[in-house]
Amino acid sequence: MESVVFYIFATAAVLGGVMCILQRSPVASALWLMSTMFSLAALYVLLGAELIGAFQVLVYVGAVLVLFLFVVMLLNLGQRSNDLRGPSGIAAALVIAGLLGIELLAVWRYTPSRLAAEVAQGPAMLDASAAFPAGQAMRQAAAHNVVQSVAEPLFRTYLIPFEITSVLLLAALVGAVVLAKRRI
Amino acid sequence: MEPTRFLGPSLALSAILFTLGVAGVLLRRNAIILFMCVELMLNAVNLTFVALAQVYGVEGWVMVFFVMTVAAAEAAVGLAIILAIFRHRQSVDLANINLLQG
C-alpha cells in the first residue's frame, strides 16, 4: 500500500518537473513546480521525515514559490514567443542532461548493506558498524521528541554553520534590498 | 516497520529530478524559469539527504535545513538581480544579456 502511494507521488513529482521545464508561461511553470514540491513533501512524510515535509510546504511552497510568482507579476512580461534555445542548443542540452541522468541513475542500485560495505572498504572515515545500525536514527527520533532529535545536532555539532547561516540570511536581505531599490 | 524504506527508488527519483533541473537550465532562456529549475535541483538534493538520513541519522535533516536556507537566500538575491536587469533592458531573456561576451 505504502509503495503504491510512494510511486503515485513519485510520478506526480516527475510529471511536475517535466511540465515545469516545458511550459511556456512562467506562471504555469511555477504552478507545476509547486505540485512537484507538494509531492516531495508527501514523499518526505513517507520516508519518516514529517518535520521536513512540513518545512518543505512552509518554506518552498509558502515562501520561495510565492516570491517567484510575485516577481513574475512585477515583471509583467506579457505574451512572449517560445524561449527554448535553438536546435543545436536543444540537442546539446539533451545530450548533457541524458549523460548526467544515466550516471546519476546508478544510485538506484544502492542498498544500505552495499553502502556499508563500500564505506568499510574505503578510507576509514566512519566506523561502518557504528554508523549503519539499520534504522537507529529513526528509532532514536521516534523515542525522543522529533524536534529535539533535530535540534540537538543543529545547536551542538552544527552551531557554527547555523550562525553563519544567519549571517548569510542577513546578507541576502540587505543585498536584495540594495539590488531591487531604484535609488538608495 | 522496515527501517529503511524506498532508499533505491528515492535516490533514483532524486536523480531524475536533478537531471530535469539541469535540462531545464540548459533548454530555457527565460531567467525566471531558469531559477525555478535551480530550485528543482536543490529539491532533488534534499530528497537524497532525507532518503539517506534513514541510514545515517538525523544529521541529514539538519543538512536539509541548511539547503533550504541557502535556497531561500539565493532565490531572494537572484530575483532581485532579475528585477534590476529587467529595469535596464525590459527583458529577462538570457540571449539579450550578453555584456560579458564582448
Side-chain angles (χ1 to χ4, degrees), chain A residues 2 7 14 21 23 26 37 43-44 46 56 60 75 83-85 93 97 101 108 112 132 137 149-150 158 165 179-180 182, chain B residues 4-5 9 12-13 19 26-30 32 36 39 43 46-47 55 57-59 61 63 65-66 69 71 81 86-87:
Chain A
E2 277 190 343
Y7 284 111
V14 173
I21 66 174
Q23 285 292 318
M37 284 169 173
L43 293 179
Y44 292 159
L46 279 176
Q56 169 87 2
Y60 272 113
L75 293 186
D83 71 331
L84 283 174
R85 292 185 190 274
W108 172 273
F132 297 99
S149 65
V150 175
Y158 299 100
T165 304
L179 281 168
R182 275 170 209 277
Chain B
T4 54
R5 292 173 299 172
L13 174 65
T19 310
L26 293 172
L27 280 173
R28 302 298 295 261
R29 289 191 323 232
N30 188 327
I32 295 177
M36 287 181 203
E39 296 293 330
N43 266 284
N46 279 348
L47 181 59
V55 185
V58 288
E59 271 88 355
W61 298 355
M63 289 303 147
F65 282 123
F66 286 131
T69 320
I81 291 174
F86 182 78
R87 212 171 279 145

CSV table of all heavy atoms in Angstrom, one decimal, chain A residues 2 7 14 21 23 26 37 43-44 46 56 60 75 83-85 93 97 101 108 112 132 137 149-150 158 165 179-180 182, chain B residues 4-5 9 12-13 19 26-30 32 36 39 43 46-47 55 57-59 61 63 65-66 69 71 81 86-87:
chain,number,residue,atom,x,y,z
A,2,GLU,N,1.8,1.3,0.9
A,2,GLU,CA,2.7,2.4,1.0
A,2,GLU,C,3.5,2.6,-0.3
A,2,GLU,O,3.7,3.8,-0.7
A,2,GLU,CB,3.6,2.3,2.2
A,2,GLU,CG,3.0,2.8,3.5
A,2,GLU,CD,4.0,2.9,4.6
A,2,GLU,OE1,5.1,2.3,4.5
A,2,GLU,OE2,3.7,3.5,5.6
A,7,TYR,N,4.8,5.5,-5.3
A,7,TYR,CA,5.0,5.6,-6.7
A,7,TYR,C,4.1,6.7,-7.3
A,7,TYR,O,4.4,7.3,-8.3
A,7,TYR,CB,4.9,4.3,-7.4
A,7,TYR,CG,6.2,3.5,-7.1
A,7,TYR,CD1,6.2,2.4,-6.3
A,7,TYR,CD2,7.4,3.9,-7.7
A,7,TYR,CE1,7.4,1.7,-6.1
A,7,TYR,CE2,8.6,3.2,-7.5
A,7,TYR,CZ,8.6,2.1,-6.7
A,7,TYR,OH,9.7,1.4,-6.4
A,14,VAL,N,7.7,13.8,-10.9
A,14,VAL,CA,8.4,13.8,-12.2
A,14,VAL,C,7.6,14.5,-13.2
A,14,VAL,O,8.1,15.4,-14.0
A,14,VAL,CB,8.7,12.3,-12.7
A,14,VAL,CG1,9.3,12.4,-14.1
A,14,VAL,CG2,9.7,11.7,-11.7
A,21,ILE,N,9.6,22.5,-16.9
A,21,ILE,CA,10.6,22.9,-17.9
A,21,ILE,C,10.0,23.0,-19.3
A,21,ILE,O,10.7,23.6,-20.2
A,21,ILE,CB,11.8,22.0,-17.9
A,21,ILE,CG1,11.5,20.6,-18.4
A,21,ILE,CG2,12.5,22.0,-16.5
A,21,ILE,CD1,12.8,19.8,-18.6
A,23,GLN,N,6.6,24.2,-19.9
A,23,GLN,CA,5.6,25.2,-20.1
A,23,GLN,C,6.2,26.6,-20.6
A,23,GLN,O,7.3,27.0,-20.2
A,23,GLN,CB,4.9,25.5,-18.7
A,23,GLN,CG,4.0,24.4,-18.3
A,23,GLN,CD,2.8,24.3,-19.1
A,23,GLN,OE1,2.2,25.3,-19.5
A,23,GLN,NE2,2.4,23.1,-19.5
A,26,PRO,N,5.8,31.5,-17.4
A,26,PRO,CA,6.4,31.3,-16.1
A,26,PRO,C,5.4,31.0,-15.0
A,26,PRO,O,5.8,30.3,-14.1
A,26,PRO,CB,7.1,32.7,-15.9
A,26,PRO,CG,7.2,33.3,-17.2
A,26,PRO,CD,6.1,32.8,-18.0
A,37,MET,N,6.7,20.2,-5.6
A,37,MET,CA,7.2,20.4,-4.2
A,37,MET,C,6.2,19.8,-3.2
A,37,MET,O,6.6,19.2,-2.2
A,37,MET,CB,7.4,21.8,-3.9
A,37,MET,CG,8.7,22.3,-4.6
A,37,MET,SD,8.9,24.0,-4.6
A,37,MET,CE,10.5,24.2,-5.2
A,43,LEU,N,6.4,12.7,-0.1
A,43,LEU,CA,7.5,11.6,-0.1
A,43,LEU,C,8.3,11.7,1.2
A,43,LEU,O,8.7,10.7,1.8
A,43,LEU,CB,8.4,11.8,-1.3
A,43,LEU,CG,7.7,11.5,-2.6
A,43,LEU,CD1,8.7,11.7,-3.8
A,43,LEU,CD2,7.2,10.1,-2.6
A,44,TYR,N,8.6,13.0,1.7
A,44,TYR,CA,9.3,13.1,2.9
A,44,TYR,C,8.6,12.5,4.1
A,44,TYR,O,9.2,11.8,4.9
A,44,TYR,CB,9.6,14.6,3.2
A,44,TYR,CG,10.5,15.3,2.3
A,44,TYR,CD1,10.5,16.7,2.2
A,44,TYR,CD2,11.4,14.6,1.5
A,44,TYR,CE1,11.3,17.3,1.3
A,44,TYR,CE2,12.2,15.2,0.6
A,44,TYR,CZ,12.2,16.6,0.5
A,44,TYR,OH,13.0,17.2,-0.3
A,46,LEU,N,6.5,10.0,3.8
A,46,LEU,CA,6.6,8.5,3.7
A,46,LEU,C,8.0,8.0,4.1
A,46,LEU,O,8.2,6.9,4.5
A,46,LEU,CB,6.4,8.1,2.2
A,46,LEU,CG,5.0,8.0,1.8
A,46,LEU,CD1,4.9,7.8,0.3
A,46,LEU,CD2,4.3,6.9,2.5
A,56,GLN,N,9.0,21.8,4.1
A,56,GLN,CA,9.0,21.9,2.6
A,56,GLN,C,7.8,22.7,2.2
A,56,GLN,O,7.9,23.6,1.4
A,56,GLN,CB,8.9,20.4,2.1
A,56,GLN,CG,8.6,20.4,0.6
A,56,GLN,CD,9.8,20.4,-0.2
A,56,GLN,OE1,10.9,20.5,0.3
A,56,GLN,NE2,9.7,20.4,-1.5
A,60,TYR,N,9.3,26.2,0.9
A,60,TYR,CA,9.3,26.2,-0.5
A,60,TYR,C,8.0,26.7,-1.1
A,60,TYR,O,8.0,27.7,-1.9
A,60,TYR,CB,9.7,24.8,-1.1
A,60,TYR,CG,11.2,24.6,-1.1
A,60,TYR,CD1,11.8,23.7,-0.3
A,60,TYR,CD2,11.9,25.3,-2.0
A,60,TYR,CE1,13.2,23.5,-0.4
A,60,TYR,CE2,13.3,25.2,-2.1
A,60,TYR,CZ,13.9,24.3,-1.3
A,60,TYR,OH,15.2,24.1,-1.4
A,75,LEU,N,7.1,41.8,-13.1
A,75,LEU,CA,7.8,42.0,-14.4
A,75,LEU,C,6.8,42.2,-15.5
A,75,LEU,O,7.1,42.9,-16.5
A,75,LEU,CB,8.7,40.8,-14.7
A,75,LEU,CG,9.9,40.6,-13.8
A,75,LEU,CD1,10.7,39.4,-14.4
A,75,LEU,CD2,10.7,41.8,-13.7
A,83,ASP,N,10.8,30.6,-25.7
A,83,ASP,CA,12.1,30.9,-25.2
A,83,ASP,C,13.0,29.7,-25.2
A,83,ASP,O,14.1,29.8,-24.5
A,83,ASP,CB,12.1,31.7,-23.9
A,83,ASP,CG,11.7,30.7,-22.8
A,83,ASP,OD1,11.0,29.7,-23.0
A,83,ASP,OD2,12.2,31.0,-21.7
A,84,LEU,N,12.7,28.6,-25.8
A,84,LEU,CA,13.6,27.5,-25.9
A,84,LEU,C,14.8,27.9,-26.7
A,84,LEU,O,14.7,28.8,-27.6
A,84,LEU,CB,12.9,26.3,-26.6
A,84,LEU,CG,12.0,25.5,-25.7
A,84,LEU,CD1,11.3,24.4,-26.5
A,84,LEU,CD2,12.7,24.9,-24.5
A,85,ARG,N,15.9,27.3,-26.5
A,85,ARG,CA,17.1,27.5,-27.3
A,85,ARG,C,17.0,27.0,-28.7
A,85,ARG,O,16.0,26.2,-29.0
A,85,ARG,CB,18.4,27.0,-26.6
A,85,ARG,CG,18.7,27.7,-25.3
A,85,ARG,CD,20.0,27.2,-24.8
A,85,ARG,NE,20.2,27.8,-23.4
A,85,ARG,CZ,20.7,28.9,-23.2
A,85,ARG,NH1,21.1,29.7,-24.1
A,85,ARG,NH2,20.8,29.4,-21.9
A,93,ALA,N,21.8,20.3,-24.9
A,93,ALA,CA,21.2,20.2,-23.6
A,93,ALA,C,20.8,18.7,-23.3
A,93,ALA,O,21.0,18.2,-22.3
A,93,ALA,CB,20.1,21.1,-23.5
A,97,ALA,N,22.2,16.5,-20.4
A,97,ALA,CA,21.3,16.0,-19.3
A,97,ALA,C,21.2,14.5,-19.3
A,97,ALA,O,21.1,13.9,-18.3
A,97,ALA,CB,20.0,16.7,-19.5
A,101,GLY,N,22.0,12.1,-16.3
A,101,GLY,CA,20.9,11.2,-15.8
A,101,GLY,C,21.3,9.8,-15.7
A,101,GLY,O,21.1,9.1,-14.7
A,108,TRP,N,20.4,3.9,-8.2
A,108,TRP,CA,19.3,3.0,-8.0
A,108,TRP,C,19.7,1.7,-7.4
A,108,TRP,O,19.0,1.1,-6.6
A,108,TRP,CB,18.7,2.8,-9.4
A,108,TRP,CG,17.6,1.8,-9.4
A,108,TRP,CD1,17.8,0.4,-9.6
A,108,TRP,CD2,16.2,2.0,-9.3
A,108,TRP,NE1,16.6,-0.2,-9.6
A,108,TRP,CE2,15.6,0.7,-9.4
A,108,TRP,CE3,15.4,3.1,-9.1
A,108,TRP,CZ2,14.2,0.5,-9.3
A,108,TRP,CZ3,14.0,2.9,-9.0
A,108,TRP,CH2,13.4,1.7,-9.1
A,112,PRO,N,21.4,-0.2,1.7
A,112,PRO,CA,22.1,0.2,2.9
A,112,PRO,C,23.3,-0.8,3.1
A,112,PRO,O,24.4,-0.3,3.5
A,112,PRO,CB,21.1,0.0,4.0
A,112,PRO,CG,19.8,0.3,3.4
A,112,PRO,CD,19.9,-0.2,2.0
A,132,PHE,N,26.0,2.3,10.7
A,132,PHE,CA,24.9,1.8,10.0
A,132,PHE,C,24.1,0.7,10.8
A,132,PHE,O,23.7,-0.3,10.2
A,132,PHE,CB,25.4,1.1,8.7
A,132,PHE,CG,26.1,2.1,7.8
A,132,PHE,CD1,27.4,2.2,7.7
A,132,PHE,CD2,25.3,2.8,7.0
A,132,PHE,CE1,28.0,3.1,6.8
A,132,PHE,CE2,25.8,3.7,6.1
A,132,PHE,CZ,27.2,3.9,6.0
A,137,ALA,N,18.6,5.7,13.6
A,137,ALA,CA,18.3,7.1,13.6
A,137,ALA,C,16.7,7.3,13.8
A,137,ALA,O,16.3,8.1,14.5
A,137,ALA,CB,18.7,7.8,12.3
A,149,SER,N,15.3,15.8,18.5
A,149,SER,CA,16.4,15.0,17.9
A,149,SER,C,17.0,15.8,16.7
A,149,SER,O,18.2,15.5,16.4
A,149,SER,CB,15.9,13.6,17.4
A,149,SER,OG,14.9,13.8,16.4
A,150,VAL,N,16.3,16.7,16.1
A,150,VAL,CA,16.9,17.5,15.1
A,150,VAL,C,17.6,18.7,15.7
A,150,VAL,O,18.7,19.1,15.2
A,150,VAL,CB,15.8,18.0,14.1
A,150,VAL,CG1,16.4,19.0,13.1
A,150,VAL,CG2,15.2,16.9,13.4
A,158,TYR,N,26.5,21.4,14.8
A,158,TYR,CA,26.5,22.4,13.7
A,158,TYR,C,26.2,23.8,14.1
A,158,TYR,O,25.5,24.5,13.4
A,158,TYR,CB,25.5,21.9,12.6
A,158,TYR,CG,25.8,20.5,12.1
A,158,TYR,CD1,25.2,19.4,12.5
A,158,TYR,CD2,26.8,20.4,11.1
A,158,TYR,CE1,25.5,18.2,12.1
A,158,TYR,CE2,27.1,19.2,10.7
A,158,TYR,CZ,26.5,18.0,11.1
A,158,TYR,OH,26.8,16.8,10.6
A,165,THR,N,24.8,30.7,8.8
A,165,THR,CA,23.6,30.8,8.1
A,165,THR,C,22.8,32.1,8.4
A,165,THR,O,22.2,32.7,7.5
A,165,THR,CB,22.7,29.6,8.4
A,165,THR,OG1,23.4,28.4,8.1
A,165,THR,CG2,21.5,29.6,7.5
A,179,LEU,N,19.8,45.7,-4.3
A,179,LEU,CA,19.6,45.4,-5.8
A,179,LEU,C,18.3,45.9,-6.3
A,179,LEU,O,18.2,46.4,-7.4
A,179,LEU,CB,19.8,43.9,-6.0
A,179,LEU,CG,21.2,43.4,-6.0
A,179,LEU,CD1,21.2,41.9,-6.0
A,179,LEU,CD2,21.9,43.8,-7.3
A,180,ALA,N,17.2,45.7,-5.6
A,180,ALA,CA,15.9,45.9,-6.1
A,180,ALA,C,15.5,47.4,-6.0
A,180,ALA,O,14.6,47.8,-6.7
A,180,ALA,CB,14.9,45.0,-5.4
A,182,ARG,N,15.4,51.3,-6.5
A,182,ARG,CA,15.8,52.2,-7.6
A,182,ARG,C,16.9,53.1,-7.2
A,182,ARG,O,18.0,53.2,-7.8
A,182,ARG,CB,14.6,53.0,-8.1
A,182,ARG,CG,13.8,52.3,-9.1
A,182,ARG,CD,12.5,53.1,-9.3
A,182,ARG,NE,11.5,52.2,-9.7
A,182,ARG,CZ,11.3,51.7,-10.9
A,182,ARG,NH1,12.1,52.1,-11.9
A,182,ARG,NH2,10.3,50.9,-11.2
B,4,THR,N,14.7,1.0,6.7
B,4,THR,CA,14.9,1.9,5.5
B,4,THR,C,14.0,1.5,4.4
B,4,THR,O,14.2,0.5,3.8
B,4,THR,CB,16.4,1.8,5.1
B,4,THR,OG1,16.7,0.4,4.8
B,4,THR,CG2,17.4,2.3,6.1
B,5,ARG,N,13.1,2.4,4.1
B,5,ARG,CA,12.1,2.2,3.1
B,5,ARG,C,12.5,3.0,1.9
B,5,ARG,O,12.9,4.1,2.0
B,5,ARG,CB,10.7,2.5,3.5
B,5,ARG,CG,10.2,1.6,4.6
B,5,ARG,CD,8.9,2.0,5.1
B,5,ARG,NE,9.1,3.3,5.7
B,5,ARG,CZ,8.0,4.0,6.1
B,5,ARG,NH1,6.8,3.6,6.0
B,5,ARG,NH2,8.2,5.2,6.7
B,9,PRO,N,14.5,3.6,-4.8
B,9,PRO,CA,13.6,4.4,-5.5
B,9,PRO,C,13.7,5.9,-5.2
B,9,PRO,O,13.6,6.8,-6.2
B,9,PRO,CB,12.2,3.9,-5.1
B,9,PRO,CG,12.4,2.5,-4.7
B,9,PRO,CD,13.8,2.5,-4.1
B,12,ALA,N,16.7,7.2,-7.0
B,12,ALA,CA,16.5,7.3,-8.4
B,12,ALA,C,15.6,8.5,-8.8
B,12,ALA,O,15.9,9.2,-9.8
B,12,ALA,CB,15.9,6.0,-8.9
B,13,LEU,N,14.6,8.7,-8.0
B,13,LEU,CA,13.7,9.8,-8.2
B,13,LEU,C,14.5,11.1,-8.1
B,13,LEU,O,14.3,12.0,-8.9
B,13,LEU,CB,12.5,9.8,-7.2
B,13,LEU,CG,11.6,11.0,-7.3
B,13,LEU,CD1,10.9,11.1,-8.6
B,13,LEU,CD2,10.6,11.0,-6.2
B,19,THR,N,18.3,15.7,-13.0
B,19,THR,CA,18.5,15.7,-14.4
B,19,THR,C,17.5,16.7,-15.1
B,19,THR,O,17.9,17.4,-16.0
B,19,THR,CB,18.4,14.3,-15.0
B,19,THR,OG1,19.2,13.5,-14.2
B,19,THR,CG2,18.8,14.3,-16.4
B,26,LEU,N,19.5,24.2,-19.1
B,26,LEU,CA,20.2,24.2,-20.4
B,26,LEU,C,19.2,24.6,-21.6
B,26,LEU,O,19.6,25.1,-22.6
B,26,LEU,CB,20.9,22.9,-20.7
B,26,LEU,CG,22.1,22.5,-19.8
B,26,LEU,CD1,22.5,21.1,-20.1
B,26,LEU,CD2,23.2,23.5,-20.1
B,27,LEU,N,17.9,24.2,-21.4
B,27,LEU,CA,17.0,24.4,-22.5
B,27,LEU,C,16.4,25.8,-22.6
B,27,LEU,O,16.2,26.3,-23.7
B,27,LEU,CB,15.9,23.4,-22.4
B,27,LEU,CG,16.1,21.9,-22.8
B,27,LEU,CD1,14.9,21.1,-22.4
B,27,LEU,CD2,16.3,21.9,-24.3
B,28,ARG,N,16.1,26.4,-21.4
B,28,ARG,CA,15.3,27.6,-21.4
B,28,ARG,C,16.2,28.8,-21.4
B,28,ARG,O,17.4,28.8,-20.9
B,28,ARG,CB,14.4,27.6,-20.2
B,28,ARG,CG,13.5,26.4,-20.1
B,28,ARG,CD,12.6,26.4,-21.3
B,28,ARG,NE,11.6,27.5,-21.3
B,28,ARG,CZ,10.4,27.4,-20.9
B,28,ARG,NH1,9.9,26.3,-20.4
B,28,ARG,NH2,9.6,28.5,-21.0
B,29,ARG,N,15.7,29.9,-21.9
B,29,ARG,CA,16.4,31.2,-21.9
B,29,ARG,C,15.8,32.2,-20.9
B,29,ARG,O,16.3,33.3,-20.7
B,29,ARG,CB,16.5,31.8,-23.3
B,29,ARG,CG,17.4,31.0,-24.2
B,29,ARG,CD,17.7,31.8,-25.4
B,29,ARG,NE,16.5,32.5,-25.8
B,29,ARG,CZ,15.9,32.5,-27.0
B,29,ARG,NH1,16.5,31.7,-27.9
B,29,ARG,NH2,14.8,33.1,-27.3
B,30,ASN,N,14.6,31.9,-20.4
B,30,ASN,CA,13.9,32.8,-19.5
B,30,ASN,C,14.5,32.7,-18.1
B,30,ASN,O,14.6,31.6,-17.6
B,30,ASN,CB,12.4,32.4,-19.4
B,30,ASN,CG,11.6,33.4,-18.7
B,30,ASN,OD1,12.1,34.0,-17.7
B,30,ASN,ND2,10.4,33.6,-19.0
B,32,ILE,N,13.7,33.6,-15.2
B,32,ILE,CA,12.9,33.2,-14.0
B,32,ILE,C,12.7,31.7,-14.0
B,32,ILE,O,12.9,31.0,-13.0
B,32,ILE,CB,11.5,33.9,-14.1
B,32,ILE,CG1,11.7,35.4,-13.9
B,32,ILE,CG2,10.6,33.4,-13.0
B,32,ILE,CD1,10.5,36.2,-14.1
B,36,MET,N,13.8,28.6,-11.4
B,36,MET,CA,12.9,27.6,-10.9
B,36,MET,C,13.6,26.2,-11.1
B,36,MET,O,13.5,25.3,-10.2
B,36,MET,CB,11.6,27.6,-11.7
B,36,MET,CG,10.7,28.7,-11.3
B,36,MET,SD,9.2,28.6,-12.3
B,36,MET,CE,8.6,30.2,-12.3
B,39,GLU,N,15.9,25.7,-8.3
B,39,GLU,CA,15.2,25.2,-7.1
B,39,GLU,C,14.8,23.7,-7.2
B,39,GLU,O,14.9,23.0,-6.2
B,39,GLU,CB,13.9,26.0,-7.0
B,39,GLU,CG,14.1,27.5,-6.7
B,39,GLU,CD,14.8,27.7,-5.3
B,39,GLU,OE1,14.6,26.9,-4.4
B,39,GLU,OE2,15.5,28.7,-5.2
B,43,ASN,N,15.8,20.8,-4.6
B,43,ASN,CA,14.9,19.9,-4.1
B,43,ASN,C,15.3,18.4,-4.2
B,43,ASN,O,15.1,17.6,-3.4
B,43,ASN,CB,13.5,20.1,-4.7
B,43,ASN,CG,12.7,21.1,-3.9
B,43,ASN,OD1,12.1,20.7,-2.9
B,43,ASN,ND2,12.6,22.3,-4.3
B,46,ASN,N,17.8,17.7,-1.7
B,46,ASN,CA,17.1,17.5,-0.4
B,46,ASN,C,16.5,16.1,-0.2
B,46,ASN,O,16.6,15.5,0.8
B,46,ASN,CB,16.0,18.5,-0.2
B,46,ASN,CG,16.5,19.8,0.2
B,46,ASN,OD1,17.6,20.0,0.6
B,46,ASN,ND2,15.6,20.8,0.2
B,47,LEU,N,15.9,15.6,-1.3
B,47,LEU,CA,15.3,14.2,-1.3
B,47,LEU,C,16.4,13.2,-1.0
B,47,LEU,O,16.2,12.3,-0.2
B,47,LEU,CB,14.6,13.9,-2.6
B,47,LEU,CG,13.9,12.6,-2.7
B,47,LEU,CD1,12.9,12.4,-1.6
B,47,LEU,CD2,13.3,12.4,-4.0
B,55,VAL,N,19.4,6.0,6.9
B,55,VAL,CA,20.5,5.1,7.2
B,55,VAL,C,21.5,5.8,8.2
B,55,VAL,O,22.0,5.3,9.1
B,55,VAL,CB,21.3,4.8,5.9
B,55,VAL,CG1,22.3,3.8,6.2
B,55,VAL,CG2,20.3,4.2,4.9
B,57,GLY,N,21.3,8.9,9.9
B,57,GLY,CA,20.9,9.6,11.1
B,57,GLY,C,20.4,10.9,10.8
B,57,GLY,O,20.4,11.4,9.6
B,58,VAL,N,19.8,11.6,11.8
B,58,VAL,CA,19.1,12.8,11.6
B,58,VAL,C,20.0,14.0,11.1
B,58,VAL,O,19.4,15.1,10.8
B,58,VAL,CB,18.3,13.3,12.8
B,58,VAL,CG1,17.1,12.3,13.0
B,58,VAL,CG2,19.2,13.3,14.0
B,59,GLU,N,21.3,13.8,11.1
B,59,GLU,CA,22.1,14.9,10.6
B,59,GLU,C,21.7,15.3,9.1
B,59,GLU,O,21.9,16.4,8.7
B,59,GLU,CB,23.6,14.5,10.6
B,59,GLU,CG,24.3,14.9,11.9
B,59,GLU,CD,24.2,13.7,12.9
B,59,GLU,OE1,23.5,12.8,12.6
B,59,GLU,OE2,24.8,13.8,14.0
B,61,TRP,N,18.8,15.5,8.1
B,61,TRP,CA,17.7,16.5,8.1
B,61,TRP,C,18.3,17.9,8.4
B,61,TRP,O,17.8,18.9,7.9
B,61,TRP,CB,16.7,16.1,9.2
B,61,TRP,CG,16.0,14.8,9.0
B,61,TRP,CD1,16.1,14.0,7.9
B,61,TRP,CD2,15.1,14.2,9.9
B,61,TRP,NE1,15.3,12.9,8.1
B,61,TRP,CE2,14.7,13.0,9.3
B,61,TRP,CE3,14.6,14.5,11.2
B,61,TRP,CZ2,13.8,12.1,9.9
B,61,TRP,CZ3,13.7,13.6,11.8
B,61,TRP,CH2,13.3,12.4,11.1
B,63,MET,N,21.1,19.0,7.4
B,63,MET,CA,21.6,19.5,6.2
B,63,MET,C,20.5,20.0,5.3
B,63,MET,O,20.6,21.0,4.6
B,63,MET,CB,22.3,18.3,5.4
B,63,MET,CG,23.6,17.9,6.0
B,63,MET,SD,24.7,19.3,6.1
B,63,MET,CE,25.6,18.9,7.6
B,65,PHE,N,17.8,21.5,6.3
B,65,PHE,CA,17.5,22.9,6.8
B,65,PHE,C,18.5,23.9,6.2
B,65,PHE,O,18.1,24.9,5.8
B,65,PHE,CB,17.6,22.9,8.3
B,65,PHE,CG,16.4,22.3,9.0
B,65,PHE,CD1,16.5,21.3,9.9
B,65,PHE,CD2,15.1,22.8,8.7
B,65,PHE,CE1,15.4,20.8,10.5
B,65,PHE,CE2,14.0,22.3,9.3
B,65,PHE,CZ,14.2,21.2,10.2
B,66,PHE,N,19.8,23.5,6.2
B,66,PHE,CA,20.8,24.4,5.6
B,66,PHE,C,20.5,24.7,4.2
B,66,PHE,O,20.6,25.8,3.7
B,66,PHE,CB,22.2,23.9,5.9
B,66,PHE,CG,22.7,24.0,7.3
B,66,PHE,CD1,23.2,23.0,7.9
B,66,PHE,CD2,22.5,25.2,8.0
B,66,PHE,CE1,23.6,23.1,9.3
B,66,PHE,CE2,22.9,25.3,9.3
B,66,PHE,CZ,23.5,24.2,9.9
B,69,THR,N,17.6,27.0,3.7
B,69,THR,CA,18.0,28.4,4.0
B,69,THR,C,18.8,29.1,2.8
B,69,THR,O,18.4,30.2,2.4
B,69,THR,CB,18.9,28.5,5.3
B,69,THR,OG1,18.4,27.6,6.2
B,69,THR,CG2,18.9,29.9,5.8
B,71,ALA,N,18.7,28.1,-0.2
B,71,ALA,CA,17.8,28.2,-1.4
B,71,ALA,C,17.0,29.5,-1.3
B,71,ALA,O,16.8,30.2,-2.3
B,71,ALA,CB,17.0,27.0,-1.5
B,81,ILE,N,18.2,40.5,-8.6
B,81,ILE,CA,19.1,40.7,-9.8
B,81,ILE,C,18.2,40.7,-11.0
B,81,ILE,O,18.4,41.6,-11.9
B,81,ILE,CB,20.2,39.7,-9.8
B,81,ILE,CG1,21.2,39.8,-8.7
B,81,ILE,CG2,20.9,39.7,-11.2
B,81,ILE,CD1,22.2,38.8,-8.6
B,86,PHE,N,15.8,43.5,-15.5
B,86,PHE,CA,14.6,43.9,-16.3
B,86,PHE,C,14.4,45.4,-16.4
B,86,PHE,O,13.9,45.9,-17.4
B,86,PHE,CB,13.4,43.2,-15.6
B,86,PHE,CG,12.1,43.4,-16.4
B,86,PHE,CD1,11.8,42.7,-17.5
B,86,PHE,CD2,11.2,44.4,-15.9
B,86,PHE,CE1,10.6,42.9,-18.2
B,86,PHE,CE2,10.0,44.6,-16.6
B,86,PHE,CZ,9.7,43.8,-17.8
B,87,ARG,N,14.8,46.1,-15.3
B,87,ARG,CA,14.6,47.5,-15.3
B,87,ARG,C,15.5,48.2,-16.4
B,87,ARG,O,15.1,49.2,-17.0
B,87,ARG,CB,14.9,48.0,-13.9
B,87,ARG,CG,14.1,49.2,-13.5
B,87,ARG,CD,14.3,49.6,-12.1
B,87,ARG,NE,13.4,48.7,-11.2
B,87,ARG,CZ,13.8,48.3,-10.0
B,87,ARG,NH1,15.0,48.6,-9.6
B,87,ARG,NH2,13.0,47.6,-9.3
